[in-house]
Amino acid sequence: MINSPRGTRDLLPPDTALWNFVEAAVRDVFRAYNFHEIRTPIFESTELFARGVGEETDIVSKEMFTWSDGERFNEKRLIDEWLRVNLSDDPHHVQAGRVNVQGNPSILAKLKEVGVQLVWRGIQVRPNLLSGRFEFVAFGSRISSDAITALKKARSIAKSEYSHEFGNHAILLRLVVPDESAKTSPWVATEDVEIEGFAGNYFSSSQSLTLRPENTAGIVRAYIEHKLWERGLNKFFSIGPMFRRERPQKGRYRQFYQIDAEVIGPAASGSQSPARDAEILELLATLLDRVGITGWTLELNSVGCPADRTKFNQALRKALAPVVEKMCLDCQRRYVTNPLRIFDCKVPEDQPIIKTLPTISQFLDEDCRTHFEAVKNILNAVQIPYVENPRLVRGLDYYQKTAFEFTHGALGAQNAILGGGRYDGLSEALGGPAAPGIGFAIGEDRLVLSLAATAESVIRKPDVYIAPLGAGMNREAARVARELRRHDLVVDLGDESFRLKKSFEAAVKMGARYILIVGGNEVAADAFALKHLASGEQVTVPRADLAQRILRK
Ligand code: AMP
């Protein structure tokens, strides 16, 4: 049996109804705040994340699914090189192993249609008169059934359509592939095709690609690539899967889903303003309330600007120097690379030490402090509750100033539903123009886990189950179903081979409200037996009134 890979899961009905409910609500909220959807690829060049997330973050250093893209094959170079070596300098004589004639263009064009580049060996004595040894040569990146089949097809076309030229000659077939691909695969029958491995490198250097572990970098990449600021677009959201090679546990998966939002733009668009931070936080509170999450906590901090952090890191190193050897290995590494990240540590034994460390708030410069105060001011005005958590830092390099997390008690150890913050330097780090931004990523899996609502409460059950009764009734049932569905009713259908009892059982099992019987008598009368399953009440309803009757509940 083949199971889903470790850390991934299938989202099945009825849970998918809950996911759709969440996504629909989220889209409504985004619309009210004038955010627009953006869909970026689920894989990007590895460099984007190395630069955009940070080389020494856990995500980039340990958790990415990275591969080297199937190397690109340079067919033209292989053909040119092969011809250079094999072309005869005397076009009138057949020389062993040399190509005298590349071919009559019209024949070659015809042969090319079968899917391979071909040349043939032989000699053209006069126009249209060929002699010598004939060989069709095709080129490929590797030995494949397709290339073999195409060669054979080329030979049969030549034999039948150009029998005048080729009829009396044997045509040998040859497939030229780069040396390194010349080993035959056991599942490709090469039969009478000669395989030639040709020395040289015909693969251009490969590109390193990575399944996206988060989407801020991707969205900012798209913002830069399409110059979205020129179109006045600066509020984006996206919903989709992310991938991190973490140790799976409840609420932590290797493929998980995020709902992302980013506000980004030139400073002149107000993207730096604390008003944007407050708007994003207020949006989040609205969003969580709207999907029915109660009891969330907004934790808020300012992580300052890079200059503040340099000072802070110095202070941290000083405080840590006497104790760092007692800490976990990750913290010892962080101590050297980026002490700020020690606050990300979840190891229980390290927590007493972490509690004694200085916090960033003491190191904020005037600008960052004012900005933070302004954010809190607006939150107070719109009555969004928050708690300040001076030890909240974000794992990603590009965060500045506001950093936040929404947590939920029901989630256990992985209690963060979402996190986000301001990233004023990211666009420049990715080679774009200055474009301050702020954004967040909601873990959709965790959002759904902490929902009080159940799938049962949001799923729409069939309004009516149609039971065709007897031969020829599928056709009639299909007509009725089509009419009813036009009225936006949810309709399901049985089969004319079912006995009535079986149809009833099916209708009850799927939770249909009504069952409608479509039999010969009903069709003749153009009125149908409609039974309300909960009450057992049954009425006969003319076709024209059916939809209204079912809609009435
Ligand atoms: P981050 O991009 O690390 O700030 O994560 C943002 C949110 O995504 C977190 O608050 C979680 O809710 C969610 N998240 C992160 N990693 C995972 C994971 N491996 N499985 C499920 N949800 C995750």
Side-chain angles (χ1 to χ4, degrees):
M1 191 173 62
I2 300 173
N3 293 328
S4 77
R6 187 169 136 82
T8 68
R9 58 198 184 130
D10 301 305
L11 300 175
L12 304 173
D15 289 349
T16 41
L18 207 50
W19 284 70
N20 283 327
F21 159 76
V22 165
E23 290 173 14
V26 162
R27 284 171 192 279
D28 279 351
V29 172
F30 279 129
R31 195 170 309 128
Y33 288 77
N34 197 31
F35 278 69
H36 299 279
E37 181 167 8
I38 182 164
R39 299 191 191 197
T40 58
I42 62 164
F43 60 88
E44 299 266 4
S45 78
T46 306
E47 194 195 346
L48 175 69
F49 303 115
R51 280 212 266 158
V53 180
E55 300 259 23
E56 4 101 26
T57 56
D58 282 356
I59 293 180
V60 173
S61 63
K62 300 189 206 159
E63 296 170 359
M64 297 205 303
F65 290 95
T66 294
W67 71 98
S68 129
D69 182 23
E71 299 160 309
R72 240 163 306 138
F73 170 56
N74 192 333
E75 184 185 59
K76 185 170 179 308
R77 178 134 52 96
L78 176 64
I79 296 176
D80 289 349
E81 204 44 31
W82 189 87
L83 283 175
R84 197 178 60 74
V85 171
N86 289 285
L87 211 57
S88 171
D89 30 26
D90 180 354
H92 299 295
H93 292 95
V94 178
Q95 293 164 277
R98 312 226 67 185
V99 181
N100 293 82
V101 177
Q102 279 192 58
N104 171 327
S106 72
I107 301 179
L108 283 183
K110 176 86 189 176
L111 299 187
K112 200 175 160 187
E113 278 172 24
V114 304
V116 279
Q117 287 283 358
L118 285 159
V119 296
W120 81 66
R121 285 177 168 169
I123 186 164
Q124 194 160 358
V125 181
R126 287 195 302 275
N128 292 334
L129 182 57
L130 306 165
S131 74
R133 192 174 78 112
F134 290 97
E135 187 172 280
F136 283 180
V137 187
F139 301 86
S141 58
R142 62 196 167 85
I143 302 167
S144 68
S145 313
D146 284 354
I148 304 287
T149 314
L151 265 169
K152 289 191 196 158
K153 200 157 163 209
R155 176 170 56 192
S156 76
I157 290 173
K159 287 272 179 196
S160 65
E161 294 186 25
Y162 303 95
S163 57
H164 168 65
E165 288 93 340
F166 293 105
N168 299 324
H169 301 279
I171 301 176
L172 306 174
L173 302 179
R174 175 181 298 269
L175 176 63
V176 179
V177 296
D179 223 1
E180 63 210 84
S181 330
K183 252 203 279 133
T184 39
S185 326
W187 49 85
V188 178
T190 50
E191 293 174 45
D192 58 346
V193 176
E194 172 103 3
I195 305 294
E196 178 181 340
F198 193 69
N201 180 12
Y202 303 99
F203 294 100
S204 39
S205 64
S206 57
Q207 192 191 4
S208 179
L209 296 173
T210 293
L211 290 180
R212 63 187 186 188
E214 59 93 51
N215 208 22
T216 303
I219 293 176
V220 176
R221 195 254 322 123
Y223 171 83
I224 298 168
E225 184 172 334
H226 305 288
K227 298 191 170 58
L228 293 178
W229 61 89
E230 288 182 354
R231 306 188 206 172
L233 291 171
N234 60 0
K235 286 165 148 182
F236 308 99
F237 76 93
S238 77
I239 301 177
M242 305 295 153
F243 306 85
R244 294 182 194 173
R245 191 184 271 116
E246 293 188 274
R247 199 145 50 79
Q249 63 183 86
K250 182 183 172 222
R252 197 209 267 160
Y253 311 98
R254 292 183 160 189
Q255 171 170 342
F256 60 100
Y257 293 79
Q258 281 188 343
I259 299 164
D260 274 271
E262 315 292 342
V263 183
I264 179 171
S269 71
S271 56
Q272 226 159 358
S273 162
R276 296 289 81 73
D277 306 43
E279 186 186 19
I280 279 268
L281 291 165
E282 193 262 329
L283 176 158
L284 277 166
T286 307
L287 196 152
L288 295 181
D289 289 344
R290 176 74 174 269
V291 297
I293 302 232
T294 51
W296 47 261
T297 305
L298 161 56
E299 299 187 18
L300 196 59
N301 193 22
S302 172
V303 294
C305 44
D308 304 337
R309 281 215 294 270
T310 310
K311 281 186 259 159
F312 180 47
N313 274 336
Q314 280 165 2
L316 279 178
R317 281 213 180 88
K318 200 161 151 223
L320 283 162
V323 287
V324 68
E325 275 172 20
K326 295 190 205 128
M327 302 185 82
C328 71
L329 288 177
D330 275 338
C331 281
Q332 298 190 16
R333 185 174 48 82
R334 292 173 180 130
Y335 171 73
V336 179
T337 56
N338 189 350
L340 185 77
R341 292 240 169 72
I342 286 185
F343 290 105
D344 284 337
C345 176
K346 297 275 184 315
V347 177
E349 293 74 26
D350 289 354
Q351 300 309 313
I353 297 178
I354 293 172
K355 282 214 177 75
T356 65
L357 295 175
T359 58
I360 182 101
S361 47
Q362 303 146 28
F363 297 84
L364 297 187
D365 66 13
E366 191 53 34
D367 176 42
C368 292
R369 205 185 306 266
T370 324
H371 193 276
F372 194 33
E373 288 306 319
V375 175
K376 290 186 282 185
N377 238 324
I378 303 178
L379 289 180
N380 293 336
V382 293
Q383 297 184 332
I384 303 297
Y386 57 87
V387 295
E388 281 185 60
N389 176 357
R391 293 192 166 75
L392 174 76
V393 295
R394 304 278 307 143
L396 313 182
D397 269 353
Y398 47 69
Y399 283 102
Q400 297 187 21
K401 294 186 178 151
T402 311
F404 56 86
E405 231 168 55
F406 281 69
T407 55
H408 195 273
L411 285 171
Q414 303 299 323
N415 69 350
I417 309 181
L418 68 94
R422 178 165 276 288
Y423 48 80
D424 289 352
L426 178 59
S427 173
E428 286 122 305
L430 297 178
I438 179 164
F440 62 77
I442 304 177
E444 195 178 354
D445 307 74
R446 294 186 198 171
L447 186 68
V448 171
L449 271 175
S450 45
L451 264 191
T454 59
E456 292 301 313
S457 66
V458 296
I459 203 162
R460 194 168 161 205
K461 298 268 176 61
D463 294 300
V464 58
Y465 178 92
I466 300 181
L469 201 61
M473 287 302 123
N474 274 347
R475 186 174 169 273
E476 297 301 329
R479 283 183 55 207
V480 178
R482 183 164 163 83
E483 283 160 28
L484 296 180
R485 284 173 179 145
R486 277 206 197 111
H487 288 86
D488 200 28
L489 288 166
V490 180
V491 178
D492 209 337
L493 281 172
D495 185 82
E496 61 189 27
S497 70
F498 292 0
R499 301 247 290 279
L500 198 52
K501 180 159 177 284
K502 180 167 172 179
S503 286
F504 265 91
E505 281 164 5
V508 168
K509 194 161 182 188
M510 67 179 64
R513 225 155 23 87
Y514 285 99
I515 186 164
L516 180 78
I517 293 155
V518 176
N521 293 340
E522 283 83 359
V523 172
D526 213 25
F528 300 84
L530 180 71
K531 182 167 185 160
H532 189 254
L533 282 163
S535 65
E537 183 196 345
Q538 181 167 332
V539 282
T540 299
V541 186
R543 182 188 289 264
D545 301 341
L546 269 175
Q548 286 317 316
R549 176 70 197 222
I550 295 168
L551 279 168
R552 231 198 284 150
K553 309 257 156 180

